[in-house]
Structures are given as C-alpha cells and as structure tokens.
Amino acid sequence: MEFQYRKLILSLSILSLSTLSALSHSSFYPLDNFLIDCGSTVGSTVDNRLFVPDSAKRDSSLSSSTRSITLRNENPPPNSPQIYSTARAFRRPSKYKFQIRDEGTHMVRLHFQTFNSLKFDWNNTQFHVLVNGFVALADFRAGGVESPMVMEFLIWVSTGKLVIEFVPAKKSNFAFVNAIEVISAPKDLVADTAKFVSSDKVEDFNGLAKQALQVVHRVNVGGSKVTPFNDSIWRTWVTDDEYLEPNSGSKRVYFGGRIKYQDGGASREVGPDNVYNSARVIHSTNASIPKVNMTWVFPAVAGYKYLVRMHFCDIASISIGLLYFNVYVNGNLAYENLDLSMASNYILASPFYADFVVDGDDSGVLRVSVGPSNMSVPYAIDGVLNGIEIMKLNNSMGSLDGDYCAGWVLRNWPSGHVGFVVPLVAAACLLLSISLVMRRKMNAEGFVAWSRLPMDVSEANAKHGNAHPSS
C-alpha cells in the first residue's frame, strides 16, 4: 500500500501546476473578470476592485424584454459597500450576457440586499435565476435580505459565453440583483475527480469539473474570518464556531511562519495563507490516545450530492512522521490513517486538500469529522484540520434548487404554477437528465485530479473503520 501511496503522490505532482512562492503575492490574473454594479451609473470600488455600471457595454450586455427598473438607496448605512446602494429590478425575464475568452470553470457571484425604496415593494420579489442552462436559484425571496447576501456558483463554460437569466416567479413578481461577478477560475480550483463516500464503500467520482456547483459553506477552521481583500480569488471564509460540536476536545493553534506551497499540494488560489496558518487539533498530552473526534455539522438538503473539500496543513507537529489520523464524512470513514507527512513530501507547514462527494440525506445535516487512528502517536498531534468547503452539485434536472429544469422555468412563465406540475417537469427534463449523465461519462475517462490528497481506502476498512464516532 505504501508503494501505491507514494506512486499516487508522484503522479499528482507531475500533473500539478508550478509552485507558487509563499513570499510573493498571488500571480493569478483572471482572463475573464467582469465586476458589474447593477442599476448604477458610476463605478464602485470594493476591496480594491472596480465594479462598473451595467449600462457600460463592454464584453457584457443586459438584455430585457421590457424596461428594467433602476433603484437607489438614498440613505445607505454607514460603511456599506457602494454596490449595495443600487439595484436593477425586472418585471419580465431578462438576462446578462458575458463574452468568455477563457474556457473552463468560472466563479459566478450574485449580490443581493434590499433597501428602502418608494417605487418598489420588496415583498413582491420572488424569482428564479438561471446560469448557462442550470437552475441556480428557484423561488428566491428577498423580502428579508436586510444585510448583504452573496450567492456563489462554479460553472463550466465552453461555448464562449455565459448567460445569467432572472425570471420572476409570477407575472405579479419582480426579480432584482445588486451586483454580479463573473471571473475565470484558476485551473486547479475544481479537480475532475473526487472520492464518493457512502456507508459501504469509497470509490472514484468522475466528471466533477463540468457539474454546476453552489458554494454553501466555506469555513476557516480555528481561525478568524477571511475577507475577499485577504483572499487571492476574493472569497469569504467564516469562522467555524457556529458549526463545531461542543466538547470536541479540540485546541486552536496558530502559525506565524511561512506556508510552504509546493507541487502536488494546494496552491494559494485553492486555499490562502490565512486559512492554512490556523487550525484545530487533537493533542495527546500523555501516553493514552484521546478517543474523541472533532466534528463540524452543516445544514444540507436531501436529494443532492455535496462536494466536501477538507484543507490540511501540519502547522502543529514538532517533527515529521508523528501525525496520523482518520477522516470521516457523515459518520463514514473517508480516509484511514492519513499520514500528512507523507502526503506533504515530509515538509511541515505544506498544505494539501482532499475532495469527497457524499449524498445529502433526510437528516438535514452533513457531518465532517477528524479523529485519532490506530496509528496515532502518544504525546503528539492526533488530528488536524484547517478549512472546510461544502458545495452542492446540480441534480439530474440540471438544478441546484428544486425539481425542475431551466427550460421549464422559461416555458412556464408567466403562469408561475411550477409547484403543481412536478410530474410534467420530470418528463420535460428527461432529455436534459440523459444529456448530463452522458456528458459526465464522456468526460470522466483519462483525467486525474492533480491536487487532492492520495486516498487508498479499501472497502473493508471503510465499513469497519469508524472507531471513534462523535456523540
């Protein structure tokens, strides 16, 4: 097993991108970088980035079947980003079109916040959002969105354009948006393969890159909030306190040295220094190994698969070769006896990440755990985790939110009776479902993810390895 373990690390390194210097700023410059301030007539600067008015036609354009409504907050809250002081509202289906130069995954961020307006009743906002044929949001209501809300999606683009459509749920409803970001993602951000973890097996999951993904949780474990200003691709990482189960036996650790990014590991675009220089650990202070797991619990919706990305960086061990632990997702063993020293080429403070795919179930939660293994060492660190990202995958209807496809949403407007015709929706979307499955199979062959941790977990170990489940 050790030979296969080393062989996989070598293959991942060969396929990786060049090492980024941790002493320099990120060298990532997206070829496609659209920052749109909707409803505004002047540019707005947020986190040193300039959002341009959506009326400024460059490589993006607004297309509406009727006149849209521009809204402005005449009394914005102090220190509120300027992009939330304006919005564009739509009475009928309308779309933004972006000319794409860089084929591949694109980050799509939609900004929403309501504000007082004499000519607009926010209680009438209910709408769907479609992105390149995927349903991103369904029956989205904004009446209670009083603080900024950012919805983030990862969408594969191969056609030279990306289209975002806003569709009112009914003829009496409105759609709106404050700002839009469309940015070409780093090539290593979404690998094409992951490990599918269930109660009885761990197996390859292929075709991930061309799925539509919605980022639902992004957590800096043990550390402080990371804002877009401090992230190389302008993400927000929240603290983990809300999700960590009490009495987990964990300890926060912080690192003031240099994070050592290297080939075969995570790049700074995959995870910034501010995520890898903090962590939670399980620490054995005597000759006995603690029988406890650190566990984080996140809301999840049944009927969808989720990508769970776990970020690891050993910033706590005093030497290499001392850190071994198990990784669990939804109580099932995802990785047994993870040797982080071997995975990081025997370099401390060198980051890696691992991707797992799991099914959302009727419990309504998704659990991520790290705990000691039967190879853990006394008087040492027996578990570490630096960050967690959870992303929802589109379902067989090509939807991230609901049981109907984008084509049905458009054909059904303006009657707005989507909820009463689910059987018909299934029939109408059958061809789309077959197309998505076939596309994933066609793209699954011959592709290996370069930047995941090696995972060699037998089905027998997966069935019997959950030695220390959290209570």
Side-chain angles (χ1 to χ4, degrees), residues 142-154:
V145 184
E146 296 179 355
S147 58
M149 174 184 292
V150 183
M151 312 294 285
E152 181 175 350
F153 307 91
L154 300 174

Side-chain angles (χ1 to χ4, degrees), residues 324-361:
Y324 302 87
F325 57 93
N326 290 340
V327 176
Y328 308 91
V329 183
N330 274 353
N332 301 312
L333 181 66
Y335 200 111
E336 183 179 31
N337 295 323
L338 172 56
D339 180 355
L340 203 52
S341 294
M342 181 180 290
S344 60
N345 293 324
Y346 296 96
I347 299 175
L348 292 176
S350 179
F352 266 85
Y353 73 88
D355 282 344
F356 306 101
V357 173
V358 296
D359 287 316
D361 57 33

Side-chain angles (χ1 to χ4, degrees), residues 426-447:
C429 296
L430 180 60
L431 291 179
L432 175 61
S433 305
I434 295 174
S435 173
L436 289 171
V437 172
M438 293 301 296
R439 185 174 64 182
R440 195 172 88 181
K441 288 183 178 180
M442 291 173 64
N443 288 299
E445 300 179 1
F447 194 97

Side-chain angles (χ1 to χ4, degrees), residues 146-165:
E146 296 179 355
S147 58
M149 174 184 292
V150 183
M151 312 294 285
E152 181 175 350
F153 307 91
L154 300 174
I155 305 293
W156 180 272
V157 181
S158 59
T159 60
K161 65 178 180 179
L162 186 142
V163 180
I164 303 175
E165 301 178 76

